[in-house]
Amino acid sequence: EQLRRQVMIRDWELGLTRRFLGTRDLRGRLELLLKSLVSNPQTGFAAIFRLVENRAQLERSLGLEPQTSRKLQLSESLVNDTLKLGSLVISYAELARSRGVAGLSTLERSRIVYLYCLRLGTAQNPWGLLISSELPAIHPGEATSLAGWEHLTSILGEELASQDSADRQ
């Protein structure tokens, strides 16, 4: 059963990577990543933050109310911990006690069982961060599936940095 689940996760990751690399522009890649994460924007959300001068600025989101998109902020400690560790999983109770994420509405907070925070890029060259109320193929308490997401977001973040650099040039 566990082997079958791992094969399913790998197939899903390979499919996403193929679609991601097949999209040429940065905006299209970000949209694809968000749509791959959130199966239903009425029940979940995801947001991509770009690092600009070591600060996380919201780049794109899916499933958030418009007013939330304007005021959503991540604390400096949440950003630094995610960049250092590669990923964080924050339970609803921990999120309620901390000030790591500011600007979520009551409705959006109610959608969270766990908030997944992932670094986009490598520790040496981070492009940004991804937060999501859900991650496909994640089974709570199973470190191997989260490790797969860390590997995937590392690769995708490096691609985003390359695409961003090419666009600027």
Side-chain angles (χ1 to χ4, degrees), residues 23-111:
T23 305
R24 296 277 182 217
D25 67 316
L26 183 64
R27 174 168 273 154
R29 284 182 170 183
L30 296 178
E31 287 294 323
L32 176 68
L33 183 54
L34 290 171
K35 288 178 181 176
S36 297
L37 290 169
V38 180
S39 57
N40 181 355
Q42 300 298 317
T43 60
F45 67 87
I48 296 172
F49 291 82
R50 177 186 272 180
L51 292 175
V52 178
E53 297 175 8
N54 293 329
R55 295 190 51 119
Q57 293 182 349
L58 183 64
E59 185 72 22
R60 309 278 298 165
S61 66
L62 180 65
L64 293 175
E65 297 172 6
Q67 64 271 26
T68 299
S69 294
R70 289 190 293 275
K71 61 183 180 177
L72 184 63
Q73 293 182 344
L74 304 178
S75 72
E76 187 176 327
S77 64
L78 178 69
V79 170
N80 290 337
D81 289 348
T82 303
L83 292 177
K84 179 181 172 186
L85 299 172
S87 68
L88 290 175
V89 180
I90 305 169
S91 71
Y92 176 80
E94 291 171 324
L95 188 64
R97 287 190 306 265
S98 77
R99 303 208 185 276
V101 180
L104 289 174
S105 71
T106 305
L107 174 65
E108 291 156 345
R109 282 186 181 273
S110 72
R111 296 176 182 168

Side-chain angles (χ1 to χ4, degrees), residues 116-128:
Y116 299 95
C117 306
L118 295 152
R119 176 184 60 225
L120 288 165
T122 62
Q124 299 78 20
N125 188 26
W127 182 86

Side-chain angles (χ1 to χ4, degrees), residues 101-155:
V101 180
L104 289 174
S105 71
T106 305
L107 174 65
E108 291 156 345
R109 282 186 181 273
S110 72
R111 296 176 182 168
I112 298 171
V113 175
Y114 292 101
L115 183 68
Y116 299 95
C117 306
L118 295 152
R119 176 184 60 225
L120 288 165
T122 62
Q124 299 78 20
N125 188 26
W127 182 86
L129 292 107
L130 165 69
I131 66 167
S132 183
S133 62
E134 56 188 80
L135 281 183
I138 288 288
H139 300 282
E142 197 174 291
T144 55
S145 55
L146 192 55
W149 266 101
E150 288 176 10
H151 177 72
L152 183 63
T153 55
S154 175
I155 292 168

